[in-house]
Amino acid sequence: DAGITQSPRYKITETGRQVTLMCHQTWSHSYMFWYRQDLGHGLRLIYYSAAADITDKGEVPDGYVVSRSKTENFPLTLESATRSQTSVYFCASSERRTGNYGYTFGSGTRLTVV
Amino acid sequence: DAKTTQPTSMDCAEGRAANLPCNHSTISGNEYVYWYRQIHSQGPQYIIHGLKNNETNEMASLIITEDRKSSTLILPHATLRDTAVYYCIVIPNAGGTSYGKLTFGQGTILTVHP
């Protein structure tokens, strides 16, 4: 089906483990984004990508790694998970069109680090 | 980037119009006003955007003042399903370091009552 999908929907991992959150979109949108959402902080941008092989840091990039080898995929990796990375993670995509940032968000991944 | 100010919360009776204000007094000429909403536990959803003219779509209307320093999102006939957090975001049309990135504030919690 067309759209933007995130997997897994829920994940529990242990401190120090590496974990990868997946994001896949079927529109061939140029832009893709990763946000995290925590109580008291709202949505904060972690990383974004303007095109395949082009990524840049957002507001809170520390502890995260991203890659974009294909336009449709934008995985987010926590290299060594910490409890402070317990959060809900949202992926989004957008086509680069002047004056239109109609982002489409995925359903989110709820990550718990124990 | 221009900052936005929104009331923390608002109530509305079902079937009535919900008018959500946003102040963006430092907006510059090339910046658009975007509205998103987030229903509990879901990813944010695009509603509408505009530059200086009033806009309407199937979800809502956007009224931007002539000086562009404030705007109002109007949900003409609010339903219980419109209960959500509503975000007003200002973003440049093109160029600059903020191009393509949405920065979410705290938003307005709209509660629609039966």
Side-chain angles (χ1 to χ4, degrees):
Chain A
D1 289 345
I4 184 165
T5 55
Q6 293 184 235
S7 61
R9 192 81 170 87
Y10 300 92
K11 176 74 177 178
I12 300 174
T13 192
E14 295 178 339
T15 301
R17 296 265 193 179
Q18 182 182 82
V19 61
T20 296
L21 309 184
M22 304 301 295
C23 180
H24 175 79
Q25 52 107 353
T26 60
W27 296 296
S28 298
H29 282 171
S30 298
Y31 278 87
M32 295 189 75
F33 308 82
W34 275 106
Y35 286 85
R36 62 177 288 176
Q37 186 168 35
D38 310 288
L39 280 174
H41 289 282
L43 284 148
R44 292 182 290 175
L45 182 64
I46 305 171
Y47 268 97
Y48 68 105
S49 169
D53 297 322
I54 300 175
T55 62
D56 207 348
K57 297 177 180 179
E59 181 185 355
V60 289
D62 293 344
Y64 303 95
V65 175
V66 294
S67 61
R68 186 114 181 259
S69 57
K70 292 184 178 181
T71 300
E72 61 267 28
N73 296 323
F74 192 40
L76 176 74
T77 298
L78 287 67
E79 294 185 299
S80 179
T82 65
R83 289 196 178 88
S84 65
Q85 292 177 309
T86 293
S87 187
V88 180
Y89 292 84
F90 289 102
C91 177
S93 73
S94 175
E95 184 49 62
R96 177 176 177 159
R97 281 185 288 163
T98 299
N100 187 344
Y101 295 104
Y103 283 33
T104 302
F105 283 79
S107 299
T109 294
R110 187 174 296 273
L111 176 68
T112 302
V113 183
V114 298
Chain B
D1 297 343
K3 289 184 179 284
T4 62
T5 304
Q6 299 177 252
T8 302
S9 63
M10 296 182 65
D11 290 337
C12 178
E14 189 176 21
R16 298 282 191 169
N19 297 291
L20 291 88
C22 180
N23 182 286
H24 32 80
S25 58
T26 61
I27 194 170
S28 57
N30 70 340
E31 291 181 316
Y32 280 71
V33 180
Y34 276 74
W35 283 84
Y36 282 75
R37 74 179 182 183
Q38 187 175 24
I39 296 170
H40 182 62
S41 298
Q42 298 180 21
Q45 177 189 23
Y46 165 81
I47 301 173
I48 198 168
H49 75 283
L51 183 62
K52 49 186 172 183
N53 297 322
N54 298 337
E55 302 288 344
T56 296
N57 63 20
E58 65 278 4
M59 289 183 68
S61 294
L62 175 60
I63 308 298
I64 302 174
T65 58
E66 192 169 341
D67 64 7
R68 302 211 321 124
K69 293 184 177 182
S70 65
S71 61
T72 301
L73 178 75
I74 301 172
L75 307 178
H77 305 286
T79 71
L80 298 179
R81 288 177 293 180
D82 291 322
T83 292
V85 180
Y86 287 77
Y87 298 98
C88 170
I89 302 168
V90 170
I91 187 165
N93 180 19
T97 58
S98 297
Y99 184 65
K101 295 188 291 185
L102 292 180
T103 300
F104 289 82
Q106 295 302 311
T108 296
I109 302 170
L110 175 68
T111 304
V112 181
H113 297 285

